[in-house]
PDB file of all heavy atoms in Angstrom:
ATOM      1  N   GLY A 115     -15.750  -9.548  -3.135  1.00 86.00           N
ATOM      2  CA  GLY A 115     -16.250  -9.473  -4.509  1.00 86.00           C
ATOM      3  C   GLY A 115     -15.989  -8.140  -5.172  1.00 86.00           C
ATOM      4  O   GLY A 115     -16.246  -7.986  -6.363  1.00 86.00           O
ATOM      5  N   ASP A 116     -15.452  -7.166  -4.410  1.00 88.00           N
ATOM      6  CA  ASP A 116     -15.112  -5.846  -4.959  1.00 88.00           C
ATOM      7  C   ASP A 116     -13.625  -5.602  -4.702  1.00 88.00           C
ATOM      8  O   ASP A 116     -13.251  -4.986  -3.698  1.00 88.00           O
ATOM      9  CB  ASP A 116     -15.963  -4.766  -4.292  1.00 88.00           C
ATOM     10  CG  ASP A 116     -15.766  -3.388  -4.923  1.00 88.00           C
ATOM     11  OD1 ASP A 116     -14.767  -3.200  -5.656  1.00 88.00           O
ATOM     12  OD2 ASP A 116     -16.598  -2.499  -4.675  1.00 88.00           O
ATOM     13  N   PRO A 117     -12.745  -6.108  -5.586  1.00 85.00           N
ATOM     14  CA  PRO A 117     -11.299  -6.052  -5.338  1.00 85.00           C
ATOM     15  C   PRO A 117     -10.756  -4.641  -5.112  1.00 85.00           C
ATOM     16  O   PRO A 117      -9.884  -4.448  -4.260  1.00 85.00           O
ATOM     17  CB  PRO A 117     -10.692  -6.660  -6.613  1.00 85.00           C
ATOM     18  CG  PRO A 117     -11.770  -7.508  -7.176  1.00 85.00           C
ATOM     19  CD  PRO A 117     -13.046  -6.811  -6.850  1.00 85.00           C
ATOM     20  N   GLN A 118     -11.259  -3.663  -5.847  1.00 83.00           N
ATOM     21  CA  GLN A 118     -10.726  -2.305  -5.700  1.00 83.00           C
ATOM     22  C   GLN A 118     -11.084  -1.720  -4.339  1.00 83.00           C
ATOM     23  O   GLN A 118     -10.243  -1.119  -3.663  1.00 83.00           O
ATOM     24  CB  GLN A 118     -11.239  -1.412  -6.833  1.00 83.00           C
ATOM     25  CG  GLN A 118     -10.793  -1.848  -8.222  1.00 83.00           C
ATOM     26  CD  GLN A 118      -9.286  -1.972  -8.349  1.00 83.00           C
ATOM     27  OE1 GLN A 118      -8.519  -1.248  -7.721  1.00 83.00           O
ATOM     28  NE2 GLN A 118      -8.835  -2.922  -9.166  1.00 83.00           N
ATOM     29  N   ALA A 119     -12.338  -1.896  -3.917  1.00 88.00           N
ATOM     30  CA  ALA A 119     -12.752  -1.394  -2.606  1.00 88.00           C
ATOM     31  C   ALA A 119     -12.016  -2.135  -1.500  1.00 88.00           C
ATOM     32  O   ALA A 119     -11.594  -1.537  -0.495  1.00 88.00           O
ATOM     33  CB  ALA A 119     -14.262  -1.548  -2.433  1.00 88.00           C
ATOM     34  N   LEU A 120     -11.833  -3.444  -1.686  1.00 90.00           N
ATOM     35  CA  LEU A 120     -11.134  -4.237  -0.680  1.00 90.00           C
ATOM     36  C   LEU A 120      -9.658  -3.848  -0.618  1.00 90.00           C
ATOM     37  O   LEU A 120      -9.059  -3.854   0.469  1.00 90.00           O
ATOM     38  CB  LEU A 120     -11.282  -5.725  -1.002  1.00 90.00           C
ATOM     39  CG  LEU A 120     -11.037  -6.703   0.153  1.00 90.00           C
ATOM     40  CD1 LEU A 120     -11.920  -6.372   1.347  1.00 90.00           C
ATOM     41  CD2 LEU A 120     -11.288  -8.124  -0.304  1.00 90.00           C
ATOM     42  N   ALA A 121      -9.069  -3.491  -1.763  1.00 87.00           N
ATOM     43  CA  ALA A 121      -7.672  -3.052  -1.782  1.00 87.00           C
ATOM     44  C   ALA A 121      -7.505  -1.761  -0.983  1.00 87.00           C
ATOM     45  O   ALA A 121      -6.528  -1.592  -0.244  1.00 87.00           O
ATOM     46  CB  ALA A 121      -7.197  -2.855  -3.220  1.00 87.00           C
ATOM     47  N   ARG A 122      -8.458  -0.843  -1.131  1.00 88.00           N
ATOM     48  CA  ARG A 122      -8.395   0.410  -0.354  1.00 88.00           C
ATOM     49  C   ARG A 122      -8.551   0.110   1.139  1.00 88.00           C
ATOM     50  O   ARG A 122      -7.832   0.666   1.973  1.00 88.00           O
ATOM     51  CB  ARG A 122      -9.475   1.379  -0.829  1.00 88.00           C
ATOM     52  CG  ARG A 122      -9.227   1.940  -2.218  1.00 88.00           C
ATOM     53  CD  ARG A 122     -10.178   3.075  -2.538  1.00 88.00           C
ATOM     54  NE  ARG A 122     -11.557   2.619  -2.693  1.00 88.00           N
ATOM     55  CZ  ARG A 122     -12.075   2.204  -3.846  1.00 88.00           C
ATOM     56  NH1 ARG A 122     -11.325   2.160  -4.943  1.00 88.00           N
ATOM     57  NH2 ARG A 122     -13.339   1.821  -3.919  1.00 88.00           N
ATOM     58  N   ALA A 123      -9.485  -0.781   1.471  1.00 93.00           N
ATOM     59  CA  ALA A 123      -9.682  -1.159   2.869  1.00 93.00           C
ATOM     60  C   ALA A 123      -8.448  -1.874   3.416  1.00 93.00           C
ATOM     61  O   ALA A 123      -8.072  -1.701   4.581  1.00 93.00           O
ATOM     62  CB  ALA A 123     -10.907  -2.061   2.991  1.00 93.00           C
ATOM     63  N   ASN A 124      -7.800  -2.671   2.578  1.00 92.00           N
ATOM     64  CA  ASN A 124      -6.594  -3.386   2.969  1.00 92.00           C
ATOM     65  C   ASN A 124      -5.481  -2.410   3.330  1.00 92.00           C
ATOM     66  O   ASN A 124      -4.769  -2.593   4.331  1.00 92.00           O
ATOM     67  CB  ASN A 124      -6.145  -4.295   1.823  1.00 92.00           C
ATOM     68  CG  ASN A 124      -4.898  -5.089   2.171  1.00 92.00           C
ATOM     69  OD1 ASN A 124      -4.898  -5.910   3.067  1.00 92.00           O
ATOM     70  ND2 ASN A 124      -3.816  -4.838   1.441  1.00 92.00           N
ATOM     71  N   ARG A 125      -5.340  -1.341   2.553  1.00 91.00           N
ATOM     72  CA  ARG A 125      -4.327  -0.328   2.865  1.00 91.00           C
ATOM     73  C   ARG A 125      -4.626   0.339   4.205  1.00 91.00           C
ATOM     74  O   ARG A 125      -3.714   0.593   4.996  1.00 91.00           O
ATOM     75  CB  ARG A 125      -4.242   0.703   1.744  1.00 91.00           C
ATOM     76  CG  ARG A 125      -3.566   0.184   0.471  1.00 91.00           C
ATOM     77  CD  ARG A 125      -3.245   1.292  -0.488  1.00 91.00           C
ATOM     78  NE  ARG A 125      -4.442   1.821  -1.136  1.00 91.00           N
ATOM     79  CZ  ARG A 125      -4.968   1.334  -2.251  1.00 91.00           C
ATOM     80  NH1 ARG A 125      -4.405   0.294  -2.854  1.00 91.00           N
ATOM     81  NH2 ARG A 125      -6.044   1.871  -2.790  1.00 91.00           N
ATOM     82  N   ARG A 126      -5.901   0.618   4.454  1.00 94.00           N
ATOM     83  CA  ARG A 126      -6.270   1.240   5.732  1.00 94.00           C
ATOM     84  C   ARG A 126      -5.974   0.301   6.904  1.00 94.00           C
ATOM     85  O   ARG A 126      -5.503   0.739   7.959  1.00 94.00           O
ATOM     86  CB  ARG A 126      -7.754   1.621   5.732  1.00 94.00           C
ATOM     87  CG  ARG A 126      -8.104   2.760   4.783  1.00 94.00           C
ATOM     88  CD  ARG A 126      -9.505   3.297   5.032  1.00 94.00           C
ATOM     89  NE  ARG A 126     -10.550   2.321   4.718  1.00 94.00           N
ATOM     90  CZ  ARG A 126     -11.125   2.209   3.524  1.00 94.00           C
ATOM     91  NH1 ARG A 126     -10.747   2.997   2.521  1.00 94.00           N
ATOM     92  NH2 ARG A 126     -12.085   1.317   3.317  1.00 94.00           N
ATOM     93  N   PHE A 127      -6.252  -0.990   6.708  1.00 97.00           N
ATOM     94  CA  PHE A 127      -6.004  -1.982   7.757  1.00 97.00           C
ATOM     95  C   PHE A 127      -4.516  -2.046   8.105  1.00 97.00           C
ATOM     96  O   PHE A 127      -4.133  -2.000   9.282  1.00 97.00           O
ATOM     97  CB  PHE A 127      -6.505  -3.350   7.285  1.00 97.00           C
ATOM     98  CG  PHE A 127      -6.188  -4.487   8.219  1.00 97.00           C
ATOM     99  CD1 PHE A 127      -6.946  -4.690   9.360  1.00 97.00           C
ATOM    100  CD2 PHE A 127      -5.138  -5.359   7.954  1.00 97.00           C
ATOM    101  CE1 PHE A 127      -6.667  -5.744  10.231  1.00 97.00           C
ATOM    102  CE2 PHE A 127      -4.847  -6.407   8.814  1.00 97.00           C
ATOM    103  CZ  PHE A 127      -5.620  -6.603   9.959  1.00 97.00           C
ATOM    104  N   HIS A 128      -3.684  -2.144   7.078  1.00 96.00           N
ATOM    105  CA  HIS A 128      -2.246  -2.232   7.334  1.00 96.00           C
ATOM    106  C   HIS A 128      -1.721  -0.943   7.958  1.00 96.00           C
ATOM    107  O   HIS A 128      -0.877  -0.987   8.862  1.00 96.00           O
ATOM    108  CB  HIS A 128      -1.507  -2.568   6.040  1.00 96.00           C
ATOM    109  CG  HIS A 128      -1.603  -4.009   5.665  1.00 96.00           C
ATOM    110  ND1 HIS A 128      -0.705  -4.955   6.107  1.00 96.00           N
ATOM    111  CD2 HIS A 128      -2.519  -4.687   4.923  1.00 96.00           C
ATOM    112  CE1 HIS A 128      -1.053  -6.147   5.638  1.00 96.00           C
ATOM    113  NE2 HIS A 128      -2.154  -6.006   4.918  1.00 96.00           N
ATOM    114  N   LYS A 129      -2.226   0.194   7.493  1.00 96.00           N
ATOM    115  CA  LYS A 129      -1.803   1.476   8.067  1.00 96.00           C
ATOM    116  C   LYS A 129      -2.166   1.550   9.547  1.00 96.00           C
ATOM    117  O   LYS A 129      -1.385   2.055  10.364  1.00 96.00           O
ATOM    118  CB  LYS A 129      -2.467   2.630   7.304  1.00 96.00           C
ATOM    119  CG  LYS A 129      -2.093   4.017   7.832  1.00 96.00           C
ATOM    120  CD  LYS A 129      -0.626   4.338   7.587  1.00 96.00           C
ATOM    121  CE  LYS A 129      -0.306   5.762   7.979  1.00 96.00           C
ATOM    122  NZ  LYS A 129       1.114   6.097   7.746  1.00 96.00           N
ATOM    123  N   GLN A 130      -3.317   1.023   9.908  1.00 98.00           N
ATOM    124  CA  GLN A 130      -3.736   1.032  11.313  1.00 98.00           C
ATOM    125  C   GLN A 130      -2.791   0.194  12.176  1.00 98.00           C
ATOM    126  O   GLN A 130      -2.481   0.562  13.309  1.00 98.00           O
ATOM    127  CB  GLN A 130      -5.170   0.518  11.438  1.00 98.00           C
ATOM    128  CG  GLN A 130      -5.745   0.607  12.845  1.00 98.00           C
ATOM    129  CD  GLN A 130      -5.827   2.026  13.370  1.00 98.00           C
ATOM    130  OE1 GLN A 130      -6.064   2.959  12.614  1.00 98.00           O
ATOM    131  NE2 GLN A 130      -5.616   2.204  14.665  1.00 98.00           N
ATOM    132  N   ILE A 131      -2.332  -0.936  11.626  1.00 98.00           N
ATOM    133  CA  ILE A 131      -1.353  -1.748  12.362  1.00 98.00           C
ATOM    134  C   ILE A 131      -0.050  -0.980  12.516  1.00 98.00           C
ATOM    135  O   ILE A 131       0.567  -0.988  13.588  1.00 98.00           O
ATOM    136  CB  ILE A 131      -1.118  -3.098  11.656  1.00 98.00           C
ATOM    137  CG1 ILE A 131      -2.376  -3.971  11.755  1.00 98.00           C
ATOM    138  CG2 ILE A 131       0.083  -3.833  12.267  1.00 98.00           C
ATOM    139  CD1 ILE A 131      -2.281  -5.287  11.027  1.00 98.00           C
ATOM    140  N   HIS A 132       0.376  -0.300  11.453  1.00 98.00           N
ATOM    141  CA  HIS A 132       1.610   0.499  11.536  1.00 98.00           C
ATOM    142  C   HIS A 132       1.500   1.504  12.679  1.00 98.00           C
ATOM    143  O   HIS A 132       2.417   1.635  13.504  1.00 98.00           O
ATOM    144  CB  HIS A 132       1.864   1.264  10.232  1.00 98.00           C
ATOM    145  CG  HIS A 132       1.910   0.404   9.016  1.00 98.00           C
ATOM    146  ND1 HIS A 132       1.897   0.920   7.730  1.00 98.00           N
ATOM    147  CD2 HIS A 132       1.969  -0.949   8.868  1.00 98.00           C
ATOM    148  CE1 HIS A 132       1.934  -0.066   6.868  1.00 98.00           C
ATOM    149  NE2 HIS A 132       1.977  -1.204   7.521  1.00 98.00           N
ATOM    150  N   LEU A 133       0.384   2.228  12.715  1.00 98.00           N
ATOM    151  CA  LEU A 133       0.203   3.254  13.747  1.00 98.00           C
ATOM    152  C   LEU A 133       0.128   2.632  15.132  1.00 98.00           C
ATOM    153  O   LEU A 133       0.628   3.207  16.121  1.00 98.00           O
ATOM    154  CB  LEU A 133      -1.063   4.059  13.459  1.00 98.00           C
ATOM    155  CG  LEU A 133      -1.046   4.890  12.169  1.00 98.00           C
ATOM    156  CD1 LEU A 133      -2.416   5.508  11.910  1.00 98.00           C
ATOM    157  CD2 LEU A 133       0.025   5.979  12.238  1.00 98.00           C
TER     158      LEU A 133
END
Side-chain angles (χ1 to χ4, degrees):
D116 186 344
Q118 297 305 328
L120 200 55
R122 290 190 291 271
N124 181 64
R125 287 192 287 272
R126 291 192 294 270
F127 174 79
H128 282 271
K129 180 67 174 180
Q130 185 62 34
I131 291 177
H132 305 169
L133 295 173

